[in-house]
Structures are given as C-alpha cells and as structure tokens.
Amino acid sequence: MFDLLTQPVGLTHYLIVGAVMFVAGAVCMATKRNALGVLMGIELVLNGANLNFVAFGSNFLERNPAYQLGLDGQIISLFVIVLAAAEAAVALAIVLNFYNNHSTVDVDRADELKG
Amino acid sequence: MSQYLISHWGWYPPLVYMLMAMLAASLVLLVIAGGSVLFIWMERKVAGRIQDRLGPTRVGGKFGWLQTIADGIKLLSKEDLRPEGADAMLFRIAPYVAFCASYGSFIALPFATGWVGLDINVAVFFVVAVLGLEVFGVILAGYASASKWSLFGAMREAAQVISYEVPLGLCIVIPVMIAGTMDLTKIGNLQSGWFTNWYLFHDPFTFITFFVYYTCALASVNRAPFDLAEAESELVAGFHTEYSGLRWSFFFMAEYGSMFLVSALGSVLFLGGWNGPVPVAAWIFGEHASQLSGVAFVLANVLGLMTFILKAVLGVTVMMWIRWTLPRLRIDQVITTCWKYCTPIAAVMFVGVISWQLMGLPSGGDVLPHHEQGLRRLPGSLRERPFEAGDAVPAANSVGFESEHADRERGQADG
Amino acid sequence: MRTGNGGRRMGEINGHTVLFLFFGILACLFSLAVVFSANVVRMAFYLILALAATSGLHFLAGADFVGTMQLVLYVGGTLVLLVFGVMLTAQNPFISLRTAGGDWIVAALVGGILLVILVPVAFQIGLPPQDAGDIEGLTQREAVASSEPVSVPTATRIGLGLLGVPGDDVSGYLLPFEIISIHLLVVLVGAAYLARAKRKVVVRQESQNSAGS
C-alpha cells in the first residue's frame, strides 16, 4: 500500500482521494443535524464521484483502453456539476421555507409527517 | 528551465519545482503589490485633480510619489484589532481569501505573447472563475465581524456579484466566439496588426459589448458607483468596518489587483491586448512577436508588455475617474441595472454578433485597407481545429460554430 | 516525510506528483474538516477549500474545462448560494447543533464500511494488470504519468459533444444537454417560487386581517 508514495501518480491516487471525499460526505450526511450541513455532505459526495469520473476520463492517467472513459467522463462530471447546482438551489429554497415555517434548520424537527 | 536545472545541475527535483513556482509567484506578486502602490497614489492624485485640489505633494518630492509607502508604514504600525463577538479564525483568514482570489486569477493572464504564468486552454474562463471567488473573502469578513454594518455590506456584495456574473459572462463569450478559442494568448494574437483588427472595432455589436463589459466589470470589482458593499455614507465602511492595519490593506490590495485584472482582461478581449494600434513591432522586427525568437522576441514582447500595461492602467484610471464623478447607486438600482439593462443588452449583442458572423458581414479589419497583419492568420498548429475538412457535418452548420478566422484559415489550408 | 520517501527514486518525483500531493492532501483534509467541524459557517468555509482543491485535481488530470467549470459553478455559484443560506439561517442556537453520540457511531460504521469497500477497489482498478503482456502498457503509463501535466485542449471537443457531434473519444450528448437545460430552467422557476411563496401568503393574510378589522 505504501507503494503509493513512490509510484508515479496514477489512477489509484485519484480514486483514493475521491473515496475519502465520498466517505466524508456520507458521514457528514449521517451526522449533521443542520439541514445545510446535510446539503454540504451531498456536495462532498457528488464531488468525490466527480473526481472519479474525471480520473477515469483522463487518458494520461489511465492508459489501459479497457478502463478509459475519454471525454465522456468529463462530460458526465459536467452534468453532475450542473445538476448539483440545481439540486442545491431547490434544497436551499426548501430549507429556507422550512426555516420560515418552523424557525429552525434542525432536520430532526422535521417530523410532522411521522405516522 | 526546471528540466535544465534538474538534468544539468542535478538539483533535487521537488526543490526545483518549488523554486520555479515561487519565482513565478513572486513576479505576479510584484505586479499586484507594485500595481497597488501605484494605483493608490494615482487614486489620490486623480481624486485631487477632479476635485480641483493638488493631492499629495510632500512625501517624496513634488508629486508625492512616496505617499503610498508612508501609508503602508502607517498601516503596518496599527494595532490588529478584533471585535469581541467575532469568529476569530474566519475573521483573520477572510482578507487573505479575498487577496488569494484576486492573486490567483493572475496565473492565467498573459502579459505578452507567451509571457504567462500558466498557459491554460480555457484561460478566459479561468480568470473569471477565480476572480468570482473574491466574493467569499468579503462574505466571510462581513459575517465574521459580528457587526450588522459588515453583514449588510457582505449581503449586498453577494447579491451584486452573483447578479453581475451573468452579463459579464455574456460579454466575455462574445470575443471568445469571434476568436473561436478561450486561450487568452491566442485571442490577443488574433487581434494583431492595425487597431481595426481589435475586437472593439470588429462590428457595431462588439463596440457596444465593450462598454457593457466595462460596466459589469466595474460592478463585479465593487468600484463606485457600484461600491454598495462599503458604502461609507450608509454602512460606515461595509464589510471592512471592523478591520484595521495590515488585514485591512489586504482587502485594498485585492481590490486594486482585481481592478487591474478586469481592465487587463478587457484589453485582451476587446482592445488588442499587447498589440499597439499600429504594428510598430512588426515593422521593426519584420514579424509578429509570436513568430520571432531570441532577442527580437524579447524586445518585441517588452514593447507588447508596455502597451498592455498602459492599456490596463488606462482602464484603471477611467475607473477612478468614474468613481469621483458619479454618485453611488442604491442597491435596487444596482440590481435593476444588471437585470433590466446589462443582461438584455448583452444578450442582444450576443445574438447580433452571432448573426454578423453567420451572414459573413465584413469585420473592422476588412473594411479599412488591408495591411500585412502578423498573426491574423494563425498557423494551423497554433489553432485548434474543431472540424476536419472531411467531416460528415454539413458545411452550413459549421459556420455557426466557427469564427471567420477559422474559415479563412481553413480556406488557406484547403487551397 | 513524503518527499523523503520518494527521494530514493528521484526521477519519479516531478511537478505533477508534488502538486498532486498538495491538492490531494488539501482536499482530503478539508473534507474531513467539514465532517468534524460543528460550526456551520466554518463547515461552509472548509467545503469551499475542499472543492477548490478538487478543481486543482481536475486540472492536474488534464480536465481543464471541467476544473474551471467546477470553480465557476460549484465554488462560485452553488457555494455562494449555500453561504447565503447559512447566513440567513445562522442564528446563535443553530450555528452549532451537536450530534448525538449514537449518530456518530452509526456514521462511523457506515463510513468505515464504505472506506473498506472503496479503497481496495481503487487499488484493484488503478494499478496496472499483473499480466506479463501488459508490461509495455505499464512502462507507457509510467512514461506518461511522469511527464509534466500537459494541457490538452478539451473545451472544443466537449462543446461539440454537447451539441451532439460525436468525436473520436466522445459520443453525442445533445439530448441530455437539452434535458438538463430544461431541468435548470424548471429548477430556477421552482426555487424562486418556493423561496417567495411564504411571504406572499403572509402579506395576503395581513391585508385580509386589516380589511376584516
């Protein structure tokens, strides 16, 4: 595993950074009680995934054609970025609405629909 | 150069890379710091003259050249205050965030052919992107100061900067569309030759676009009449109310840095960048700088560098002139200017330029007598070619994507 | 420590490695900082830095257009929006909401399992296959990765791909592009409606009240 530091930077390095970001985002989504914190967790998850797409799409990191995504990877990550912007806008509008109605951003208090 | 140090002198590679990075960084820092020193002095002089005063006259001789240095020493000796309720870490770090954003965008700004920190293929986009991050410094400063004046200033800044990014982006896309590339070096070189080749004179639409660009740039760097974020008559000093000393001066370095940057960007996009109105360098050296090498290249580039900096400084001077001439707008007027005037005008100009290109109408450089124009026809290797001649796409479609230069170049390649 | 480790094989440390370590470590550190910070404003700040570092990684991987897009849209657009939201809702009781201990345990479990799954997969996929026939591929890969990161022009090809013109390493994406455009428009309208619906209702009630009284 410590070969990582002596080898030239390759796909694995990028994937590991992506994995760390993804896990950080997932943990963030699970632990934060602030609705905006949950939103930030989602952004981190999306970014981790994005990094993987870009790394797979980069043909100077990955020369094995079996794994190469080419520019498709970059275009997919563009779509992810744009959709993340849309998602953040809607989520923020919902959070602000929730804040207006309940004067709190604690997601644990959003339990009115509980059966 | 770094390869040379490694292979011939056997230096330790990471050290060399660090060294080279630091060299480039300090050069850019010199531009920002030196620029700020000059611009602050100029601001005082310009303000003085506009208000029928003399401005600084004592420090450093008749014209007060050293006034800024004296200011700097005063700022350094001030106490670094922090309000009690402030978020200490964010409060301390906010000025540096603003400064780094302004500083970082210089990475991709070419000062002459090939003289650029990092030659990115999407330089225009990058510069605008990084410059847009400056708003974070202001927002954080406003929030962390725990003062309502600061918070108001920060909110205004956020609303204003986000809004103005839309028309600014539209205006920037227009020269990019004409040039067919986002590389600032190529955009600059495409406008070489006589001043009629500048995109300002490309067609009537680009002429108007430049002024919309300048207005939006003014707003996005928070200069009067759009300096709502620090409106001193309403908000004490806006987002930097609570700052003093060195941290305060960092905000100002960031502001002057980004003023220079947007002027420089405007000059590359519309005013020919490092190409003078008359191709003097091409007459002296026989070729445009990008096709020279050795001493001639350096000399031609130095000439270009001087032209470029002159244009950018001129842009900054006009900003100062506007600041001391026009009254400040209200926040609703600022947003109205953006959404009801700048954005629709920019959109119309966008469509106008597209139609101009599509109909193949003559550009400025075609109307006036043609002179030998260094790089108007870029050699094929310097341009990306979106289409090969044998592409399956119908030719009628490709006119829409491509610039006339590309068309011309393709005609050459084919013929 | 890291550079010392690589010092044994000096030729392999190059600008790319140094920059990768810089941005990669920054990205990881700041993502973890987002998780462990309790103050929501600081979380937003760390998130900005993490995403900016990620965009640096995109540049290193040769995806300059995506990296810039990340800076413009993500860091410049989405996060300004987020910080705006944080500032609108950040009042003292909500700035730091403490997480219960049980949540931390569950989250650590989930995160640990994910990490245990993801990291070995990264090693399996990223390292070159061990077959003898791929030695050539390995050297080629090393040769490429140890050169300076080159800026391959991607913007034009991405743009053409989005317009539905397939290139040699990209397929046409006209339909997804259009769908996303419409989606963005809908989201814009929807978000504007959601964010201002409440205020309208209040105004109407007030006017009714004043009319009634």
Side-chain angles (χ1 to χ4, degrees):
Chain A
M1 185 174 271
F2 291 99
D3 284 356
L4 271 188
L5 294 179
T6 53
Q7 273 189 344
V9 171
L11 197 53
T12 310
H13 298 71
Y14 280 82
L15 292 189
I16 285 178
V17 176
V20 170
M21 287 188 88
F22 188 93
V23 170
V27 173
C28 194
M29 276 154 71
T31 53
K32 298 294 175 194
R33 277 169 62 207
N34 190 323
L36 293 164
V38 177
L39 205 56
M40 290 178 202
I42 298 175
E43 307 292 347
L44 271 181
V45 165
L46 290 175
N47 254 276
N50 240 348
L51 194 60
N52 284 10
F53 274 124
V54 167
F56 277 118
S58 155
N59 52 1
F60 89 96
L61 284 180
E62 178 54 62
R63 269 308 169 102
N64 189 343
Y67 300 134
Q68 251 184 33
L69 268 182
L71 274 186
D72 288 346
Q74 299 193 11
I75 290 188
I76 290 173
S77 53
L78 276 186
F79 284 157
V80 171
I81 291 175
V82 173
L83 287 180
E87 162 259 312
V90 172
L92 205 64
I94 293 175
V95 170
L96 287 184
N97 238 354
F98 180 66
Y99 180 75
N100 280 341
N101 287 330
H102 297 254
S103 350
T104 177
V105 283
D106 186 352
V107 280
D108 290 349
R109 302 260 298 271
D111 53 2
E112 282 172 16
L113 291 179
K114 207 185 250 175
Chain B
M1 185 165 168
S2 47
Q3 289 305 324
Y4 174 78
L5 282 180
I6 293 167
S7 55
H8 289 259
W9 292 12
W11 285 22
Y12 186 52
L15 191 74
V16 175
Y17 291 116
M18 290 292 169
L19 217 65
M20 298 308 293
M22 275 162 70
L23 183 70
S26 45
L27 270 179
V28 173
L29 195 62
L30 197 71
V31 172
I32 297 191
S36 310
V37 169
L38 174 71
F39 291 145
I40 290 172
W41 172 80
M42 250 169 68
E43 178 105 51
R44 288 164 171 272
K45 273 306 209 191
V46 170
R49 290 295 171 172
I50 286 179
Q51 295 169 344
D52 212 4
R53 297 182 283 116
L54 284 176
T57 51
R58 304 221 174 146
V59 192
K62 197 182 163 194
F63 298 107
W65 295 108
L66 297 180
Q67 183 65 44
T68 320
I69 309 284
D71 283 349
I73 293 171
K74 186 198 79 175
L75 281 175
L76 276 178
S77 61
K78 273 189 173 178
E79 189 188 350
D80 187 18
L81 290 172
R82 181 167 59 80
E84 209 174 58
D87 186 329
M89 186 202 81
L90 291 181
F91 184 83
R92 290 211 186 98
I93 221 166
Y96 305 120
V97 173
F99 180 71
C100 285
S102 166
Y103 179 49
S105 44
F106 276 86
I107 293 174
L109 184 76
F111 286 85
T113 309
W115 285 4
V116 51
L118 178 63
D119 207 354
I120 320 179
N121 196 251
V122 287
V124 183
F125 206 20
F126 182 84
V127 168
V128 180
V130 179
L131 194 64
L133 303 187
E134 200 189 333
V135 65
F136 277 118
V138 173
I139 293 181
L140 288 178
Y143 173 78
S145 295
S147 145
K148 61 184 170 189
W149 305 122
S150 305
L151 195 60
F152 272 133
M155 285 302 220
R156 286 179 174 188
E157 160 101 8
Q160 178 183 331
V161 169
I162 294 185
S163 305
Y164 273 93
E165 254 175 29
V166 176
L168 191 72
L170 272 175
C171 293
I172 286 171
V173 160
I174 289 173
V176 167
M177 206 169 54
I178 299 174
T181 173
M182 283 197 272
D183 191 329
L184 279 173
T185 313
K186 287 179 194 163
I187 294 181
N189 281 340
L190 277 169
Q191 302 174 60
S192 64
W194 285 77
F195 65 93
T196 46
N197 287 339
W198 294 358
Y199 287 149
L200 179 66
F201 304 115
H202 184 270
D203 56 59
F205 297 108
T206 50
F207 189 78
I208 301 172
T209 308
F210 172 70
F211 296 99
V212 180
Y213 167 82
Y214 200 77
T215 312
C216 297
L218 211 58
S220 65
V221 298
N222 267 312
R223 283 294 291 189
F226 300 106
D227 57 345
L228 271 296
E230 47 193 277
E232 72 273 356
S233 51
E234 327 164 22
L235 296 184
V236 189
F239 65 90
H240 56 66
T241 306
E242 305 292 345
Y243 281 88
S244 76
L246 199 60
R247 289 180 208 285
W248 181 82
S249 70
F250 264 99
F251 277 122
F252 269 74
M253 297 245 281
E255 178 172 332
Y256 283 102
S258 35
M259 274 164 70
F260 181 82
L261 189 90
V262 291
S263 307
L265 189 65
S267 108
V268 179
L269 289 178
F270 293 97
L271 301 179
W274 42 90
N275 302 296
V278 181
V280 179
W283 288 342
I284 299 175
F285 302 107
E287 288 272 22
H288 186 262
S290 55
Q291 284 156 340
L292 295 169
S293 58
V295 183
F297 172 75
V298 174
L299 285 179
N301 253 3
V302 167
L303 206 63
L305 182 71
M306 276 152 51
T307 320
F308 182 66
I309 288 185
L310 188 72
K311 281 175 189 170
V313 170
L314 206 66
V316 176
T317 316
V318 174
M319 284 186 180
M320 292 171 184
W321 172 26
I322 292 175
R323 172 173 176 186
W324 297 104
T325 309
L326 294 179
R328 181 181 301 119
L329 299 177
R330 273 197 327 260
I331 183 70
D332 61 317
Q333 291 168 331
V334 169
I335 303 295
T336 307
T337 315
C338 174
W339 290 111
K340 287 194 180 162
Y341 299 101
C342 287
T343 310
I345 294 176
V348 170
M349 293 306 123
F350 181 74
V351 175
V353 173
I354 290 182
S355 334
W356 194 277
Q357 299 272 77
L358 198 63
M359 290 188 278
L361 293 175
S363 65
D366 298 331
V367 172
L368 291 172
H370 239 76
H371 295 264
E372 195 44 53
Q373 302 161 333
L375 259 213
R376 224 156 120 69
R377 308 178 304 264
L378 275 178
S381 59
L382 279 182
R383 285 191 53 90
E384 313 156 28
R385 295 205 43 193
F387 282 93
E388 291 304 322
D391 270 349
V393 184
N397 268 352
S398 63
V399 179
F401 304 139
E402 278 181 281
S403 66
E404 53 165 326
H405 303 295
D407 281 345
R408 192 176 298 165
E409 177 220 332
R410 182 201 286 169
Q412 268 190 340
D414 291 347
Chain C
M1 182 191 77
R2 288 167 198 285
T3 48
N5 202 353
R8 286 182 287 119
R9 301 160 74 179
M10 229 163 76
E12 284 170 1
I13 296 270
N14 53 26
H16 187 197
T17 317
V18 174
L19 284 177
F20 175 83
L21 283 180
F22 178 69
F23 283 126
I25 290 172
L26 272 192
C28 292
L29 274 187
F30 284 120
S31 340
L32 292 178
V34 174
V35 177
F36 293 113
S37 164
N39 181 329
V40 69
V41 186
R42 287 195 185 178
M43 275 165 59
F45 178 64
Y46 294 137
L47 186 65
I48 293 164
L49 294 181
L51 298 195
T54 317
S55 104
L57 287 178
H58 288 183
F59 274 102
L60 280 185
D64 47 3
F65 187 70
V66 177
T68 317
M69 208 57 181
Q70 165 110 353
L71 280 182
V72 171
L73 260 180
Y74 234 122
V75 187
T78 310
L79 283 185
V80 170
L81 209 65
L82 208 57
V83 172
F84 220 78
V86 167
M87 278 163 56
L88 282 178
T89 56
Q91 290 169 0
N92 284 329
F94 310 123
I95 284 186
S96 25
L97 288 170
R98 295 276 162 216
T99 311
D103 283 357
W104 274 116
I105 295 172
V106 174
L109 209 64
V110 171
I113 292 174
L114 265 177
L115 206 61
V116 165
I117 295 173
L118 285 177
V119 170
V121 169
F123 274 98
Q124 267 178 17
I125 290 181
L127 293 181
Q130 298 297 320
D131 306 334
D134 278 316
I135 289 174
E136 193 190 346
L138 173 75
T139 50
Q140 195 185 12
R141 179 165 161 273
E142 273 187 336
V144 170
S146 54
S147 61
E148 294 276 324
V150 259
S151 161
V152 189
T154 54
T156 316
R157 285 181 296 153
I158 288 181
L160 288 175
L162 288 181
L163 284 176
V165 185
D168 47 356
D169 61 345
V170 61
S171 19
Y173 281 94
L174 185 58
L175 185 63
F177 182 64
E178 290 300 327
I179 292 176
I180 283 190
S181 318
I182 302 290
H183 181 260
L184 264 185
L185 183 67
V186 170
V187 161
L188 202 68
V189 175
Y193 175 74
L194 269 182
R196 63 183 293 170
K198 169 77 179 171
R199 202 187 302 157
K200 267 187 178 170
V201 171
V202 170
V203 170
R204 201 177 301 142
Q205 277 171 351
E206 276 173 2
S207 60
Q208 278 170 356
N209 288 345
S210 59
S213 62

